[in-house]
Structure formats: structure tokens, C-alpha cells
Amino acid sequence: MKRLFLSDLHIGDGSAKDDFEFDAELSNLIVDFSQHSDAEIIIVGDGFEILESRAVKEMGLVPFDELSTKLDGSVIDAIAKKHPLVFDAFREFAKNHNVFYVVGNHDYYLLSNRLLRERLVELLNVQVIPYYYNPDTGILAIHGNQFDIINKFGYDKKNNSLVPPLGDYIARYMMFYFDEYVQALAPFEVTRDYDNVRPALDVFHWFDRAVEVYDLGVDILELWISTFLQMMRTSEAKFWMKKNFPVLHCFSKLFLNRVGGMNLGSFLVRATMRIRNFRKTDYLYKVAKQMLKGKRSLGKEDLLGYCDQKPEIEELNGVIFGHIHHNCLRIIPHDGQNKFYINCGSWRPVVEKVNGKKKFGFQRKAELFYAIIIDDPGSDLEIITSVTNKMNRNKTL
């Protein structure tokens, strides 16, 4: 059996946040892979961009539970209309092969919303699942946001209820209150790219650069910080902070009661961004290493909001994540065996400083990664990874 692992494609509906532009490359990969009779595809989360879709934006900043139930299949139809090549390729592949769709955080609503899930299954014949585990090979694939404090569900013991991820609320709030305003003031690249800056803390330098290059008449960095602070003053954000960081919640009142000014406000934003930045590092490697060495198991608490039962995982030889948009393959020796960790990275472009220097500006690039794991009877697992780098040499900010 040959298994193709992909993650974080973020294929969207053509709105400002849809920066998937590799339809031909992905379609060709799927068509080529379909030539194998014993093949299946596993998408390790965030295959489709639902969180930052036009439909979500048009619904406004409604409560998480309301949004989860009110979305319908038209979101999937809009994505399919914008990316017909990709949908055709997946549809043809699924006629003779299995496609497993592991749910991440940008497409979580597929798990919580029956209409969304049924429409995707109707169009592509995929199996929508919270995680993928193959007992024959001992391979576990899960998106990874479950180990990211900003993007995982919490639990409110007092009210016996789930606490929605703050990352979901941040994305929707900024899309509604910041993106909408900036789109009228600056080129579309500004709203398209600011959330793709890596590392995340470089977004401060990126906004400064954008103001300089585009000669904007407004300080969008100050606007972004003030909008972020307004978000942190909302009841939703305060509730999340109280449940997850009670000490920091008390400390943050100094910055959120409007007496601190922009300098102190900027400090709070940077502190929050540092927490968010943990997901852009390879901290998931540490999680995978603990799992593969038997020091940690995938528990029921890790799957809050995704699965009600503790996973039954007997043998574990490999762990595959996505989420952090940083691809890698690492061997983890344990008890005389070579186990492995793979992160499938992302097909979403990232924006980074040229040579790590602010003075050279920022470069937009993409790393199209996939992993193929071949499991032939009587043979050891064979792992093949591939990365195609895409960038325009002179396309810098």
C-alpha cells in the first residue's frame, strides 16, 4: 500500500484570504498517484479554508456555537467553483481509492456541521475523521492544533462545557474589523499576507515595510495593534484568558483598561504573539518524540471537541502532524528501532525577511511538500518526501 500525506493546503473560495495558487501542481500529483492500484491519500488537516471564507465573514462575529451550526454546503460549493481542477482530481481519485480527510482548526466546522460534512462527502467521497491511525503500520496522523493552547479546545469545569479556541475568534475578529477596513486603504497584498509572516513577531517589521513601500497615509501597524487590543477587551477573549491563563488574565487588566497606552498595549500584543508563535516552531516534534518513546499517549483530553472517546492505539511507529507550516522528516531511535516524525508543512505561501534581514525586505515563497509511505508485505516501511520550492525572484516587499 502506498499512502500520500498532505496538509495545510488551505484551498479557499477566492476571497482575500484564499492564496492557494497551485491547482495544477496538486492536480498533477493526485493524477500521477492515482496510477497506483494500491494507493490512498490522507489530508492531515486544513485541506480547505473554511474559517477565513467569505461565508464566515458575511455571518459577522456570531458566537462559535452559532457559527458551527449555521454554515451550510454552499461554502464547499464556493471552494469547488474556484478550484475545479483540484476537485476534479480528488473526485476521480476517490472513485477507486480511499481519501481520508483529517480535520484541523481552519476546517473544524466539517466535524461539527453535518451539512458541510455531507456536502464535501457528496462532492469528493472522502472520509472525514478527527485523526488517522493505521494499526498495520503503526502510523498516527493528526493535525496538531490539539497541542497548541491558542488553537485547541479548553474545558470549563464550572459550566461543564467546552471553551472554543481563541485562535478561531482572533481570525474572525481581525478579518471582520481589521481586514475590512484596510482593504479600502491598501493593496490587497496587505490583507492577504500579514497573517503569513514568519516568524509571527516579524509582522511588526512587515507592517512598517508595507507603510514605507506603498506610501500609505495611515499607520496600519498602530491600527492592527489597536484592533487586536479591542479584540482582547471583548468578553469572549477575557473569558478564554481567565480559563486558560488566570494569572496573565489578571496582569492583562493593566493593558486592557485603556490607561496603558499604545506602548504597553504593544507589549501585550507581542506577548500574545509569542504564545501564538509557539505553533510556528517545531514544538510538535517534542510531542511526537514523547509519543513514540511511550512517554505520552494521545488522550481523550487532547481530542476535546473532536472525539468523545480515548483513541485505541496499540503500536506507534510514526507520527505525522501539520499545523505549524514547517515541513520536516526526523528519525527517532527508540529501543533499537528507528521511528519517525513527519510534519507535512503547508502549501500556503509564507512571507519571510530576505536573508533574515529587515533591510532587504520580505520575500513571499511556498514549499510544496508531500510524503509517501510505502508498506509492502514482508518489507520495511519506505518513506519518500518531496519539496518543490516556488517563488518569484523579484517579488519582494
Side-chain angles (χ1 to χ4, degrees):
M1 177 66 72
K2 298 174 179 62
R3 296 177 176 89
L4 170 64
F5 292 86
L6 300 157
S7 80
D8 294 85
L9 303 171
H10 291 278
I11 303 169
D13 60 3
S15 56
K17 290 295 187 178
D18 177 17
D19 47 12
F20 184 80
E21 52 196 42
F22 307 110
D23 300 65
E25 289 86 349
L26 180 56
S27 300
N28 290 337
L29 173 62
I30 296 170
V31 170
D32 289 344
F33 197 60
S34 70
Q35 304 306 308
H36 301 287
S37 59
D38 56 341
E40 61 186 28
I41 294 176
I42 300 93
I43 301 173
V44 194
D46 287 358
F48 297 114
E49 181 57 66
I50 298 177
L51 172 58
E52 295 181 304
S53 65
R54 184 178 290 106
V56 169
K57 184 177 180 180
E58 289 177 350
M59 288 186 67
L61 207 62
V62 299
F64 180 84
D65 291 340
E66 181 180 344
L67 177 63
S68 294
T69 57
K70 285 192 173 181
L71 287 170
D72 58 36
S74 62
V75 180
I76 304 299
D77 291 334
I79 298 173
K81 183 178 180 180
K82 181 62 179 177
H83 300 278
L85 272 179
V86 171
F87 271 70
D88 287 345
F90 272 122
R91 188 180 298 112
E92 286 299 314
F93 182 90
K95 288 180 178 179
N96 301 301
H97 308 83
N98 288 326
V99 179
F100 297 95
Y101 190 108
V102 178
V103 175
N105 55 305
H106 278 240
D107 51 10
Y108 171 77
Y109 310 111
L110 286 170
L111 207 58
S112 62
N113 186 301
R114 179 179 57 83
L115 293 177
L116 274 179
R117 184 170 62 256
E118 289 180 350
R119 185 55 178 155
L120 182 63
V121 172
E122 180 183 358
L123 287 178
L124 298 184
N125 192 29
V126 300
Q127 300 180 48
V128 179
I129 52 179
Y131 64 91
Y132 171 90
Y133 174 67
N134 182 268
D136 295 330
T137 59
I139 295 175
L140 169 70
I142 185 170
H143 185 55
N145 62 292
Q146 294 85 352
F147 309 99
D148 170 2
I149 186 64
I150 293 289
N151 287 292
K152 67 180 292 185
F153 282 89
Y155 188 72
D156 181 7
K157 294 182 179 179
K158 181 178 180 181
N159 297 309
N160 192 30
S161 61
L162 292 174
V163 179
L166 182 63
D168 181 281
Y169 184 70
I170 291 175
R172 291 192 290 128
Y173 190 98
M174 299 303 284
M175 183 169 61
F176 194 70
Y177 288 106
F178 177 75
D179 296 6
E180 186 76 14
Y181 183 68
V182 171
Q183 284 173 3
L185 302 173
F188 82 98
E189 288 89 352
V190 174
T191 53
R192 182 194 66 185
D193 288 341
Y194 78 84
D195 199 37
N196 292 330
V197 175
R198 301 292 181 265
L201 285 172
D202 279 352
V203 74
F204 295 92
H205 292 159
W206 186 86
F207 277 127
D208 285 339
R209 182 75 175 181
V211 170
E212 176 186 342
V213 171
Y214 294 121
D215 193 23
L216 302 179
V218 60
D219 188 341
I220 54 176
L221 174 58
E222 182 174 341
L223 175 64
W224 183 77
I225 291 175
S226 63
T227 306
F228 196 95
L229 290 175
Q230 290 169 15
M231 181 275 299
M232 293 297 291
R233 294 187 185 108
T234 63
S235 59
E236 290 87 348
K238 288 180 179 178
F239 178 74
W240 185 90
M241 289 283 289
K242 183 177 181 180
K243 294 300 178 181
N244 289 277
F245 295 100
V247 176
L248 183 58
H249 168 71
C250 296
F251 178 67
S252 67
K253 291 179 181 179
L254 172 66
F255 305 101
L256 299 178
N257 63 8
R258 300 181 185 276
V259 301
M262 284 300 295
N263 288 335
L264 292 180
S266 176
F267 174 83
L268 176 65
V269 173
R270 290 174 186 268
T272 306
M273 291 295 287
R274 285 188 183 277
I275 297 174
R276 293 189 72 195
N277 196 46
F278 287 155
R279 73 183 179 96
K280 306 309 176 191
T281 65
D282 205 4
Y283 76 99
L284 286 178
Y285 165 67
K286 297 179 181 178
V287 175
K289 187 176 180 180
Q290 290 175 337
M291 286 183 173
L292 291 167
K293 292 192 172 186
K295 297 180 179 180
R296 176 177 187 157
S297 62
L298 184 64
K300 186 177 178 180
E301 66 280 0
D302 295 320
L303 293 171
L304 282 175
Y306 285 79
C307 184
D308 295 330
Q309 298 179 343
K310 177 179 172 61
E312 295 184 5
I313 297 176
E314 299 177 359
E315 182 181 13
L316 201 57
N317 295 315
V319 174
I320 301 176
F321 286 135
H323 188 54
I324 60 173
H325 293 196
H326 176 68
N327 63 75
C328 73
L329 166 62
R330 301 185 70 167
I331 299 300
I332 301 174
H334 178 62
D335 285 346
Q337 288 184 301
N338 282 334
K339 302 191 175 187
F340 65 91
Y341 160 62
I342 293 175
N343 195 293
C344 292
S346 174
W347 285 41
R348 192 173 195 169
V350 297
V351 178
E352 298 176 330
K353 290 176 180 174
V354 176
N355 295 334
K357 303 291 184 180
K358 180 183 176 182
K359 64 180 180 179
F360 296 134
F362 286 80
Q363 174 71 56
R364 189 171 186 265
K365 65 177 184 179
E367 295 181 344
L368 313 185
F369 177 96
Y370 64 85
I372 295 176
I373 299 180
I374 302 173
D375 170 30
D376 288 332
S379 301
D380 193 10
L381 291 179
E382 181 180 357
I383 304 172
I384 302 169
T385 65
S386 175
V387 183
T388 300
N389 291 282
K390 291 277 187 175
M391 64 181 289
N392 293 322
R393 184 184 57 172
N394 295 317
K395 200 169 186 178
T396 60
L397 175 66

